[in-house]
Amino acid sequence: MSLMTTLARMEAVAAGRAQPAATVRHRHLSARPMALVPLTTAGEAGAPLGALVGTDRDAPRLLVVPQPRDRDLRFAFLAGLADAVLPYLEGYADGVETEERKETDPETGKKVPVEVELCADAPQLLVPGAGGVEFVRLLGRSMRFRRTAEQDPQAPYPAPPHVPLLGRWLTHCAERARVPGSSMLLSMTDLLARHWATGQSGLEDQHLGALLAWIDPPVGESGADAALRVELERFPDAASSGEQAGLLRHPPSGPATDPVFDNRLLAPAMARFDAARSAVERRDAERRIRELVASQLEPAWQLLWRGVDLLRKLPEGGHVADRWKRDRWSYTGHRDRVRAGEPPQPKRDDAVTAAQKLASRETAQARLEAQEALDDPLVMAARRLAGEAFAGEVTEVVMARSEGRRPMPRPLVTVRTDDRPHVNDGVRVFRVLGDKVQSAEFVAYEPDGIVLRLTGGMGQGKEPKPGSVPEEGDRLCWTLFEHAPRGGPALPDPEATPWTHGGPPPEGTLVADAPDPPTDEDLL
Amino acid sequence: MNASLDSRTPAPAPQAAPEAALPRQTEALRLRLAELRGPETAPYPLDARALAALAANPGCRRRALLDGAGVDKAALARAIGSPATFGQSQFAFVRGNAFEARVGADAGAELVRLLVETHRDVAAPGPEGVSVPDLTATGQAARAARTRLALTEAFTADRWSLLFHPMVTLDVAGAPAHLEPDVVAVGPDGHCTVVEIKSFPVVDGSADAAKVGAAARQAAVYALALGRLAERIDGPEPSHRGAPRGTDRIRPTALLVCPRDFSNLPTGEPVDIRKQLAVTRRQLARLTRIEEIAASLPEGTTFDLRPAADGTATRPVDELVHAVESVGASYSPECLAACELAIHCRSRSRGSGAVEALGRSVRGELGGLTTVESVLLAAAGTQGDETDPAVSSLRRAAALRAEALAGETPCH
Ligand code: SF4
């Protein structure tokens, strides 16, 4: 934890409620996100027990698996999920705009501009916590290699239509969620913890109810007290509580359930379902399980949307749209791969793909850190504290020029600052100048400030462009990090994979991984 | 996976050299621990999971003492009104047992197959087959003795042996803990492998890193105990013909057996436990000796709940809380997932304004400031020595934060 965050958490302890950790919203929030609250069966990490899903907070769709060991019931759940989610995910595929992009002409080898489609918007999935993101990944993995009866009439247990397709989309969302700053699949606890600092630890922040209690406590109660209550309070273990006895008053937000709920209510209800002898008994038992599962899901559903409300109150950060556009590109790309009939994403990435993903995530991380700082003075403050940026007033500007045949303007600017940046000879620094970046290099520490030599952003002429050289009295913020960091060295294309990394993929190997062999007891 | 810190003197193992076996608890300590736990209460079993957690927080004297004395921390936590937040769902329990039974079926044939598949240097069993000795016996001491016998035989058997639920012992802070690994496999070459059977899935060759880490820490605890036992069996003679002896018999790679993908079919993943072994060994050595902690307690301190017939505690809550508070603790949020007393310790830690309540790493950057109040006063400039680098950093942080929140600085 950075000292700035530690301080904010301590301020929250003293104030009894969460304190801002950001002054703007650093993630895209769709006008119409889809919320998904899943529950799994304890001990069977991948087996769904139920879910609430939908874009309308007042009308979620409830999906329940009354007996998670029953393959048909699991398939019914997956079919229901595909029915609820797929139209939403695919609903952004046709609204497109065109973008101009440079591509290499295969004949001439020259870069030529081409017009490409870019989806104007993209779907956004919200889950309560990090466990939800992992569950989406697992669901995607379990579904995308399934075969429907239409794809393979011989498939021993054909999956309902659309299930494999949903698997591919969920896999895409989950992969995307690993890219820093991406917003296609977000966990509400991560989102809230990014924007508020509570008076508890990061581990405790993973409890959505407690986190919200710190951020938005009920009237007349401190965040600290409310969080403790939400986290621990149980119905008294007495007859007066009825069947709720001993249960948490505020069930966890999944995907794991409260073990007391499992043992006292769910297990007997499932036993009744298993023992049902008539259709009526079975229907009654199923209704009971649906009620029970719904009782554990609904609180999380409400909390998730409360989180959305709170986040909407924050103004969007300046670079959020830029990052969302990258999500739109990824969405468009996946749409195209599905349309082109490509096989589902492989089980394991080959060496080049894995390295490319890693490199692009590192770039995305650097970009995110830079953009968040530029969008938010509170984030910039932490970078200044860390010596990675400095702000101050210009006290002197001296015109100077480079040597050589064609001398260019290289003015010397003195900035007075209380910050203590880690600058020394030759270190490059950057500042925002309109919609461009101006670069400078460190020259010296003088008694009245840091002397910088401007090296860019002044145009190509003999004289600097008007407004491109700061004036005395201007307040500026310089960073030691680049504003638009690029990726590292380019990686070879898949066909050129060195043999040390598995060699190029054999000819015509763009085929799907085999479906998982079905077993009598598989879980998804 | 049951094990316990048994304070009763273990019965001498048949054909064993008891002097060399375990550091015996002195009669005085045994009585003292029984007194702390309650003379009517059987010692609460301590498993490898608990031991690994204990080793993860070696600075906590409270936990060391309670575990060492075999106190049921969950019951104690309930009795003082701060019950633990974790429990086990019967679904998980049933599933775990079913999977373990499946893995062990057919006299472990599947297990041996996985071992051979994952260790390139071990031979598949020949026509002589696999020996699965019966280890059942009444009482921990007798079971430990049987395990020792079976292991001695397995070392010289020239064939595969699988020990299901053996019982091994480990000296923890001066008291013997009984541990029960899922399986110990002994190959024809005399090497042992600790096998951990877990019910979380391995999907496409990878599993939840946190769960794998926890399994590795547990396996390390077993490997440690097994190594000590092998040392006692082999004695001090040097090895002949390069055959492994003593701790060298224990492979530094445990075999983790999990369901594969979304099925119930087992898959084996070798897990390197060298690091966990080193850490556990070091941390266990760091544990203050229970004797010392017990000696430092005020006269008459006891954690005896004095349970009534229905199991509810009859000792007054404030007496119990007083007893708990008489031993020093070292709370951090990691305790929440690892120790039954965490809710109590957290409220004390928060109540005293300790900075660790916000995370163990917080301390590092705050120098000598240990409470939230002192940090905030230092940050506000009303307290603290400005030449202290932690204090001056805090002041700058507070000033920068206030400035940014007031909208007084540009970010570009
Ligand atoms: S919860 Fe308390 S007793 Fe348990 S390890 Fe943490 S500090 Fe020690």
Side-chain angles (χ1 to χ4, degrees):
Chain A
M1 224 187 313
S2 75
L3 188 61
M4 210 58 137
T5 320
T6 304
L7 182 64
R9 285 194 188 270
M10 298 203 176
E11 285 177 1
V13 171
R17 64 186 300 159
Q19 299 296 307
T23 62
V24 296
R25 176 160 44 73
H26 289 290
R27 298 291 179 276
H28 175 81
L29 198 51
S30 164
R32 196 172 148 266
M34 172 167 271
L36 170 65
V37 181
L39 281 186
T40 59
T41 316
E44 322 210 350
L49 172 64
L52 278 179
V53 60
T55 51
D56 180 353
R57 69 197 301 169
D58 298 319
R61 178 146 164 193
L62 172 66
L63 298 163
V64 174
V65 186
Q67 174 47 271
R69 285 198 307 271
D70 183 318
R71 187 192 319 263
D72 292 336
L73 297 175
R74 290 195 309 268
F75 271 4
F77 171 89
L78 298 179
L81 194 67
D83 198 37
V85 178
L86 208 49
Y88 173 74
L89 289 178
E90 292 194 311
Y92 294 87
D94 294 325
V96 293
E97 52 197 41
T98 49
E99 280 269 321
E100 198 167 272
R101 203 161 65 176
K102 288 263 187 345
E103 275 183 17
T104 317
D105 185 314
E107 302 211 332
T108 62
K110 280 196 191 124
K111 294 253 179 197
V112 289
V114 288
E115 291 227 315
V116 287
E117 276 190 358
L118 170 63
C119 293
D121 201 0
Q124 180 175 51
L125 283 182
L126 300 177
V127 293
V133 174
E134 271 321 293
F135 187 62
V136 167
R137 178 189 317 284
L138 217 54
L139 272 180
R141 165 64 182 82
S142 78
M143 289 193 272
R144 69 181 192 263
F145 300 112
R146 292 269 177 210
R147 313 285 288 162
T148 61
E150 197 184 318
Q151 289 169 313
D152 178 3
Q154 250 83 62
Y157 300 99
H162 303 312
V163 160
L165 185 58
L166 177 64
R168 300 177 63 175
W169 274 109
L170 293 186
T171 300
H172 181 74
C173 292
E175 260 320 89
R176 193 68 200 155
R178 289 185 162 161
V179 178
S182 156
S183 297
M184 267 183 87
L185 167 60
L186 288 171
S187 116
M188 187 49 72
T189 49
D190 285 355
L191 264 176
L192 293 172
R194 172 66 196 86
H195 296 90
W196 282 275
T198 65
Q200 61 184 5
S201 70
L203 278 171
E204 289 152 313
D205 281 349
Q206 287 170 26
H207 189 300
L208 180 56
L211 179 57
L212 275 164
W214 271 102
I215 298 172
D216 186 23
V219 184
E221 196 177 14
S222 82
D225 291 347
L228 202 60
R229 191 169 50 72
V230 165
E231 186 190 39
L232 298 178
E233 200 178 25
R234 287 180 184 273
F235 291 100
D237 218 344
S240 59
S241 309
E243 65 169 33
Q244 307 260 47
L247 261 61
L248 284 170
R249 260 186 210 271
H250 307 271
S253 300
T257 45
D258 172 15
V260 180
F261 165 78
D262 281 7
N263 297 343
R264 295 202 183 170
L265 298 182
L266 191 58
M270 276 188 188
R272 243 185 77 203
F273 180 83
D274 291 341
R277 297 193 182 276
S278 66
V280 177
E281 272 178 31
R282 195 176 149 96
R283 209 188 49 223
D284 284 353
E286 178 172 353
R287 189 183 307 136
R288 164 79 176 147
I289 294 173
R290 284 180 70 85
E291 278 168 16
L292 286 175
V293 171
S295 75
Q296 300 296 294
L297 282 166
E298 266 154 17
W301 178 264
Q302 299 301 343
L303 291 173
L304 195 154
W305 287 102
R306 248 180 78 200
V308 171
D309 291 342
L310 288 166
L311 287 161
R312 283 209 200 285
K313 289 189 194 146
L314 287 173
E316 187 178 278
H319 285 90
V320 168
D322 170 83
R323 292 195 296 274
W324 180 241
K325 190 169 178 186
R326 292 171 194 274
D327 281 322
R328 286 160 50 208
W329 277 118
S330 93
Y331 174 78
T332 313
H334 187 66
R335 176 200 73 161
D336 293 345
R337 283 190 291 276
V338 170
R339 284 183 178 171
E342 282 187 22
Q345 301 93 327
K347 289 180 183 170
R348 302 182 201 216
D349 288 326
D350 60 79
V352 168
T353 311
Q356 270 165 346
K357 278 187 181 170
L358 195 66
S360 73
R361 280 173 206 155
E362 279 170 6
T363 312
Q365 181 66 39
R367 184 191 304 123
L368 177 66
E369 285 173 8
Q371 292 184 338
E372 286 194 348
L374 295 169
D375 288 349
D376 185 345
L378 197 49
V379 181
M380 188 61 92
R383 305 297 294 262
R384 288 166 60 194
L385 182 66
E388 297 163 343
F390 61 97
E393 193 181 313
V394 176
T395 53
E396 196 181 3
V397 180
V398 179
M399 198 51 196
R401 286 174 196 284
S402 63
E403 297 179 357
R405 263 192 318 127
R406 199 163 158 267
M408 298 294 284
R410 291 288 180 263
L412 294 170
V413 177
T414 307
V415 182
R416 186 173 56 216
T417 177
D418 293 333
D419 297 344
R420 296 166 208 168
H422 300 310
V423 286
N424 45 37
D425 281 352
V427 163
R428 301 218 307 149
V429 296
F430 308 90
R431 74 166 179 122
V432 173
L433 178 61
D435 55 0
K436 294 240 168 23
V437 180
Q438 180 160 59
S439 60
E441 57 190 33
F442 172 79
V443 178
Y445 282 109
E446 293 286 332
D448 57 343
I450 293 173
V451 183
L452 302 172
R453 180 186 296 115
L454 299 188
T455 53
M458 293 168 289
Q460 298 303 314
K462 269 200 196 131
E463 293 303 319
K465 271 195 319 203
S468 66
V469 177
E471 288 167 16
E472 237 182 88
D474 283 359
R475 287 191 58 81
L476 306 179
C477 181
W478 292 91
T479 71
L480 279 68
F481 50 85
E482 288 197 44
H483 292 186
R486 300 276 176 87
L491 289 156
D493 288 332
E495 306 79 62
T497 313
W499 64 268
T500 45
H501 292 78
E507 280 298 310
T509 44
L510 208 60
V511 291
D513 279 315
D516 298 299
T519 66
D520 292 341
E521 302 158 80
D522 57 350
L523 299 167
L524 268 167
Chain B
M1 254 184 273
N2 256 337
S4 82
L5 268 178
D6 192 347
S7 66
R8 281 163 303 200
T9 320
Q15 299 167 35
E19 326 74 58
L22 281 169
R24 296 279 211 90
Q25 281 174 271
T26 60
E27 185 62 12
L29 177 61
R30 194 180 66 78
L31 285 173
R32 182 75 175 112
L33 295 185
E35 194 186 308
L36 286 173
R37 176 178 69 238
E40 304 297 306
T41 318
Y44 191 78
L46 178 66
D47 59 17
R49 182 198 306 256
L51 253 176
L54 178 61
N57 190 5
C60 183
R61 294 162 63 95
R62 183 175 294 169
R63 181 169 183 150
L65 178 76
L66 293 172
D67 279 350
V71 171
D72 178 350
K73 298 199 296 303
L76 177 60
R78 268 195 307 276
I80 59 176
S82 304
T85 47
F86 42 84
Q88 196 183 24
S89 160
Q90 67 183 70
F91 296 119
F93 190 70
V94 168
R95 158 99 165 132
N97 285 347
F99 182 67
E100 200 181 323
R102 186 179 179 130
V103 172
D106 272 344
E110 179 73 7
L111 254 183
V112 175
R113 192 185 63 72
L114 291 172
L115 277 162
V116 173
E117 191 181 277
T118 47
H119 291 83
R120 257 178 272 164
D121 55 337
V122 303
E128 74 286 355
V130 177
S131 129
V132 181
D134 177 15
L135 299 177
T136 47
T138 319
Q140 293 167 330
R143 290 182 58 200
R146 284 216 68 96
T147 297
R148 179 175 179 149
L149 264 178
L151 207 60
T152 312
E153 265 168 39
F155 283 169
T156 51
D158 280 338
R159 65 195 283 210
W160 278 95
S161 306
L162 290 181
L163 277 62
F164 284 91
H165 297 283
M167 180 143 285
V168 289
T169 43
L170 190 64
D171 176 45
V172 179
H178 288 88
L179 301 165
E180 192 182 316
D182 291 337
V183 183
V184 171
V186 186
D189 58 357
H191 275 112
C192 304
T193 305
V194 174
V195 181
E196 272 287 288
I197 302 173
K198 296 283 173 200
S199 55
F200 57 83
V202 171
V203 178
D204 298 337
S206 62
D208 186 325
K211 288 180 178 149
V212 175
R217 284 192 295 276
Q218 286 178 43
V221 171
Y222 295 134
L224 211 58
L226 212 54
R228 306 256 158 98
L229 180 56
E231 262 174 359
R232 293 197 294 275
I233 291 175
D234 285 338
E237 296 107 76
S239 79
H240 16 244
R241 288 180 291 129
R245 297 187 64 80
T247 35
D248 291 345
R249 288 184 182 275
I250 320 301
R251 283 184 188 274
T253 323
L255 182 69
L256 178 62
V257 178
C258 295
R260 186 176 65 218
D261 298 340
F262 306 101
S263 74
N264 222 350
L265 304 172
T267 179
E269 294 287 331
V271 181
D272 186 343
I273 54 169
R274 272 173 299 187
K275 216 178 84 202
Q276 287 83 356
L277 259 171
V279 171
T280 312
R281 203 180 287 127
R282 197 174 57 234
Q283 305 289 55
L284 287 180
R286 269 185 64 195
L287 283 176
T288 315
R289 295 190 59 84
I290 290 171
E291 247 169 315
E292 245 165 71
I293 304 175
S296 70
L297 296 180
E299 194 64 31
T301 303
T302 177
F303 304 99
D304 181 5
L305 306 182
R306 248 186 1 224
D310 66 349
T312 50
T314 65
R315 187 173 297 279
V317 173
D318 48 345
E319 267 183 58
L320 287 170
V321 170
H322 191 76
V324 168
E325 286 305 310
S326 67
V327 205
S330 158
Y331 171 81
S332 75
E334 284 76 19
C335 290
L336 288 167
C339 183
E340 292 82 353
L341 277 180
I343 300 299
H344 171 80
C345 295
R346 179 177 71 177
S347 82
R348 290 292 159 141
S349 174
R350 282 181 176 172
S352 68
V355 295
E356 287 90 349
L358 294 174
R360 199 177 271 173
S361 64
V362 170
R363 259 309 280 283
E365 53 200 358
L366 297 174
L369 304 168
T370 56
T371 66
V372 172
E373 196 189 357
S374 66
V375 169
L376 290 175
L377 287 175
T382 42
Q383 212 181 55
D385 171 7
E386 196 148 2
T387 59
D388 177 349
V391 172
S392 73
S393 291
L394 269 170
R395 282 192 192 161
R396 293 199 49 235
L400 284 169
R401 181 170 161 82
E403 194 183 288
L405 284 173
E408 282 164 10
T409 33
C411 48
H412 55 259

